[in-house]
Each structure stands twice: as C-alpha cells, then as structure tokens.
Amino acid sequence: MAVLVTGGAGYIGSHMVWELLDHGEEVVVLDRLSTGFDWAVPEAAELVVGDIGDQTLVEETIRRRGVDAIIHFAGSIIVPESVADPLGYYFNNTVKSRALIESAVCCGVKHFIFSSTAAVYGTPRTNPVTEEELLQPESPYGTSKLMTEIMLRDTAAAHDFAYTALRYFNVSGADPKLRTGQSTKGATHLIKVACETATGKRPSMDVFGTDYPTPDGTCVRDYIHVSDLVNAHYLALRRLRSGAGSLVANCGYGRGYSVLEVIDAVKRVSGKDFNVVESGRRPGDAVAIVASAERCVSELGWRPAHDDLQEIVSHALRWEEALARRNRL
Ligand code: UFG
C-alpha cells in the first residue's frame, strides 16, 4: 500500500513526502519536474517523472504500487500568471485534476487530499474567514482550484470516494531538520523574498502598498509553517482512512501579520538591516485575509507546533543559507 503524492518534488509536496516517510508510509511521487527538483525527493520515496494528465502512467503507477490515497499538489500557483494565461491555468489545474480524479475512481482509490487555496474566497467580507464564506475567487488561479473542489464534491456524491480539500493561507518556512525547503526560482512570496534579500541574493526588496486601511498601511496575511500544513494533510489522510466523510478546511493559524511586521522579523532574526523600497500596490492583493482555523482543529485534531513568526522566519532563513551554499558548490 502506498500514498501517491503529485507535485512531490516541489516546495510543499517534498515536505509532505518527508512527513509521510516519518510516519512509516510508503510513498510514490509523480512530478514532471517543471518547477520541482529531483533532489528534493527523498531516496526512500519512488519518483515517477511524468504528468498527472497522463492517465496511462497514473493508472499503471496506482496499480503497480497499490496506491490507496492520493495527495494532489501538482499545479500552477502564480496568481498574476493566471490572469495573463487563464486557459493555461484551467488546463494545468482543472483539466488535469479532472483526469487525475477519474484515474482515482477507475482504479478504486477512495481517498483524495487536495491542495486548495484561500484564493477561492477572493476578498472576504470579514476576518477571520470561515469555510462558509462566499466563494468569489478574483483570479483564474483561484477559480481553477475552486472548480477542482467542485469536481471532487460531485465525484464524492456519485462514487465510493471521499476527499479533503485544504485551503492554504500563506505557506512559509522550511523543514526544521533542513531536509527540504522552498527552492523555487524567481519566487514572489514575501518571506522567501525577504530571506533572499537578507542573504544578499537580492540587493533590495519592495513593499507593495503602504496606504491600505490596516494599522501600519500594509497588507495582512496569515503565515502558516509548512511543517504544520503537511501535518494537517497527514491527519486528513488518517481521518479518511478511518472511514470519515469528505471535508473542506482552512489551513492557517487565525492570526495576521502585516508586510512590515514580517520584514521586521526577517531583519531581527537575520541581524541584517537590508534595503526596503516602498512601492505602489500590487494589482490583485487583498487588504487582509486571516483564516478561521477552528474546523481544522476540531475535525482533524490539528495541533500546530510552529505557530510563531520568528520560528517560521528562522527556518526559512536557514534554508535560504543552505540553498546559497548548495548553489555555490
Ligand atoms: N509582498 C511585498 N513584497 C514582496 C512580496 C510580497 O510587499 O516582494 C506583499 C504582497 O503585496 C502581499 C503580501 O506581501 O501583500 C503577501 O504576498 P505573497 O506573494 O507572499 O502571498 P499572497 O498573499 O499574494 O498569496 C498567497 C499564496 C497564493 C494564494 C494567496 C491566497 O501565495 O498562492 O495567498 O490569498 F493564492
């Protein structure tokens, strides 16, 4: 019996693979290595290089390894890119997810965990945002993920199949043991960008917008440590295997930090006073979005272990330093 992790060579996927191996699970990764790295996949997991839309390959892999559950991370994740190339996003995120779900049903895989996003809410009417909030994505990226949630809902109603869709808030940090981390090239995420600036990879960084209606004028987000996030997936897997029904749950801590607070934390932890440029607003940014984490706690028994901005930043920084050493080799 094995768990199939799509996108397992990527940032969150590779942390998931370690989490599963740490719990004694057999793991097979399916990744086409378009943004992920083969070296990010631990040797104890099998890496199949290929596309989630290749149903022959997916079904052969499921049958060969006796896959009982799929954890689906593979997909495109850059919001502005999705605005410029909506059909590319609907193909990669929605059409190929449909193929993967069909392969799961055809092969009798009954458990499916899906990497969804807070972007399905668009700009929420109130914070913290619960799963009952209106779903009004403001980008093709968010819509492409919401469409997959809908396909999962309808598939679960029609077949012997149950899913968990986890809506991620701002995922950051790295494995505390530094076995993996965020290695994405040309990253746009705040904590990654600030750590790259602190370690000298960038000469300076921008703050996008200082005139928002927030206490310090910059946007507020709920930053969740990647290790706590993948642990929520592991708990979701155990819950599905115990026979529980489908579930949609937010993954965040329920606490927001502003862009300036995050940058201050990176400066404090790194001891580097790097250059920060106040720039105009970035199109498409919501003012503030913070999760209600109640459902994740009550339904999954989730007990976050790294709910501390300083710790998140410290792990992200240590990974950035490790990456800089690796790239110099
Ligand atoms: N920011 C900066 N400077 C930077 C990078 C980011 O000021 O160099 C700001 C952004 O403008 C935003 C905040 O930092 O206000 C967070 O931005 P990120 O790019 O780190 O993350 P987002 O909140 O835009 O996006 C995240 C996920 C998306 C997901 C979205 C849902 O990365 O995949 O949350 O809300 F769709």
Side-chain angles (χ1 to χ4, degrees), residues 77-79 117-120 122 139 141-142 168-171 187-194 202 205-209 212 218-221 223 258-259 263 280-282 284-287 289:
I77 59 162
I78 302 172
V79 173
T117 170
V120 298
S139 66
Y141 166 70
Y168 310 164
F169 283 63
N170 289 64
V171 187
T188 57
H189 291 155
L190 177 64
I191 291 184
K192 172 89 176 160
V193 168
R202 296 176 189 246
M205 67 170 290
D206 294 306
V207 175
F208 296 129
Y212 284 102
T218 65
C219 292
V220 171
R221 296 286 183 276
Y223 295 89
S258 73
V259 173
I263 293 174
R281 293 182 177 195
R282 190 174 71 173
D285 275 341
V287 179
I289 178 155

